[in-house]
Every structure is written in C-alpha cells, then in structure tokens.
C-alpha cells in the first residue's frame, strides 16, 4: 500500500517512516488501520466479490405448465 | 469623488502572530491548504533585498563631468521569524521536513520534527505569509491591526542557540519574491479590524 503523506509514526517503541508516493513499510494491523483512517496510507483493495448466483425467473401465479 | 486620508493612525507596536497557508510552487492557491496560526512569534524582521542600479561616472580633464545612476530595485524581501516556542507543525509547514507522531489510542499526536533531506530541500514548500501587529491611535488605544501579506515565500530552518539560563528561540529564514502567477508586488500592508480565528 502506498503512503499518501510523509510522516514518522512512533508505535510501541518503533518508528515507521512513511514517504508520500512510496510503498508503506510493513506495520502491525492496528497501526495500519489507524493510518488508513487518518488518510496516511491507501486503503487496501477489498477481497474480490463472490459471484452472484444466476436468478431463476418466478412463474406468475395461475399459469399452467406447458406440455 | 474625493480620496479620504487613511482610516487609521497607524502607530504600530509589537507582533501578534503569523498565519501560514501553503500554495503551489507556481504561486497559485492550493485548494486543500489549511491556514496555520503561529501565535508565539517573538520577532519578525523584514529586510528588503536590493538590486543596486548601475552607477556610471563620466570623467574628463581630471574631473567628474557627469554621473548617472540607474534606479535601485527591491527584488525580494528576506524575513527572519523568531518563535518563542518549538512548534513542530509550524516549522514543517514553513520549511518542510517530516513530522514525528506517536500513536495515542485511535489518533496520533505530534511529538517532533525531522529536518528535510538535502534532496528534498531542492523542492521546498511554498506558502503565503500573513503577519499581524497592533495599530494604536495617538492616545495609546487599540484602533485595529495591520496585516502584512507576503504572497510567495519559501523558508529554511535557521539557527538555534542553546545556552545556560537562556530561553531557546527557534529561528526561520524566509525569502519572499513576487508571485509568478499574479501581477502583484512583493507584499501588501493594510489595516484590518480583527485578527483571524487561527490567531485567537
């Protein structure tokens, strides 16, 4: 994920350096969520959506089946 | 239509503060910029940068016959801003560099500033600077404020002096030039009735 700002974030005794436009360093999930919330890093792309099941058209009431 | 004299006496004293607003490097306004107020300025020195006109004497017969001097031109203004406190956000807004932030719960808090690398200093941030000082009337009453607007500035972090029993007053060096995106002069001074919200 790319960093959107240039910052040094200190978290649990470690410094994480964000440089705008460059790939953000690996960071703990809690810090990653906080940085995304603050707009410091891009949000990760979400998982691919599940394929939707095909729709079966409903038969209108009273219609007799052919055959 | 007659021109009336200026609306204030203009006896200026002290410095109330400065407001910094980032602009684009071509001088145009940055729509995303948020003005930042520096309320603890101790001193802002304004020094004109003069390009001296050429002087051409003409001599003959062991005496000076004629002397012509081209006009001097003020091509820029150099400011020295002394802030009574270490304000990391102010320094980063003016001179670039990197803020150091510490996580506090679900937020972050600014705890420091790192100077910009030499490479980053080749493309410094640009900003508009507004400086406010109090204007007094002849009886010593506050009649309003004077506002300086420096349209196109960039800054470098300046000197610091750490000394026994002396307060540290960080310094920033600011260069103001004509804004390339407008036809305005270097800066403007005008009377205003109130300070902006970021300085209150």
């Amino acid at each position: 994920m790319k960093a959107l700002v240039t910052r040094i974030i200190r978290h649990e005794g470690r410094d994480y350096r964000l440089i705008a436009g460059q790939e953000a360093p690996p960071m703990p999930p809690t810090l990653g969520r906080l940085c995304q919330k603050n707009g410091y890093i891009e949000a990760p792309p979400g998982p691919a959506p599940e394929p939707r099941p095909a729709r079966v058209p409903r038969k209108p009431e009273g219609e007799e089946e052919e055959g | 239509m007659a021109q009336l004299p200026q609306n204030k006496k203009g006896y200026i004293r002290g410095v109330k503060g400065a407001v910094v607003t980032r602009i684009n490097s071509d001088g145009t306004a940055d729509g995303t910029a948020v003005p930042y107020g520096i309320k603890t300025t101790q001193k802002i020195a304004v020094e004109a940068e003069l390009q001296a006109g050429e002087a051409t004497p003409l001599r003959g017969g062991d005496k000076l016959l004629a002397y012509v001097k081209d006009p001097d031109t003020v091509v820029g203004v150099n400011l020295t801003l002394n802030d009574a406190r270490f304000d990391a956000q102010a320094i980063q807004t003016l001179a670039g560099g990197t803020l150091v932030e510490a996580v506090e719960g679900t937020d972050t808090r600014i705890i420091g500033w790192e100077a910009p690398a030499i490479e980053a200093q080749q493309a410094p941030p640009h900003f508009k600077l507004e400086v406010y000082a109090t204007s007094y009337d002849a009886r010593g009453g506050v009649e309003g404020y004077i506002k300086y607007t420096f349209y196109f500035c960039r800054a470098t972090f300046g000197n610091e002096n750490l000394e026994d029993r002396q307060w540290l007053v960080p310094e920033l060096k600011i260069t103001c030039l004509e804004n390339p995106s407008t036809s305005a002069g270097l800066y403007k001074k005008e009377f205003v009735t109130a300070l902006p919200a970021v300085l209150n």
Side-chain angles (χ1 to χ4, degrees), chain B residues 62-195:
Chain B
D62 291 343
K63 55 180 183 278
L64 182 67
L65 300 173
Y67 179 81
V68 172
K69 186 175 188 310
D70 294 333
D72 296 334
T73 307
V74 177
V75 296
V77 177
N78 295 317
L79 301 101
T80 304
L81 188 153
N82 293 98
D83 193 354
R85 73 179 187 116
F86 165 54
D87 184 340
Q89 179 70 75
I91 298 174
Q92 197 274 337
T93 304
L94 288 160
T98 307
L99 288 176
V100 183
E101 300 181 20
V103 174
E104 271 188 24
T106 56
D107 298 308
T108 60
R109 187 180 292 278
I110 297 171
I111 62 167
W113 169 82
E114 181 183 88
I118 290 175
E119 185 179 346
Q121 292 180 52
Q122 309 313 305
H126 289 79
F127 54 89
K128 176 180 70 171
L129 182 72
E130 294 161 323
V131 177
Y132 292 82
T134 307
S135 182
Y136 295 87
D137 59 27
R139 290 171 173 260
V142 175
E143 60 173 13
Y145 304 92
I146 190 162
K147 171 185 168 185
Y148 292 69
T149 304
F150 299 94
Y151 296 111
F152 187 71
C153 305
R154 50 182 183 245
T156 55
F157 47 97
N159 303 323
E160 294 190 3
N161 209 24
L162 293 102
E163 192 177 334
D164 185 24
R165 290 182 295 175
Q166 299 296 321
W167 295 102
L168 171 68
V169 181
E171 175 187 277
L172 282 147
K173 301 280 193 186
I174 300 169
T175 299
C176 170
L177 302 169
E178 285 188 347
N179 188 317
S181 71
T182 72
S183 58
L186 282 166
Y187 68 97
K188 175 176 67 174
K189 295 162 71 169
E190 59 185 326
F191 291 112
V192 296
T193 54
L195 295 174

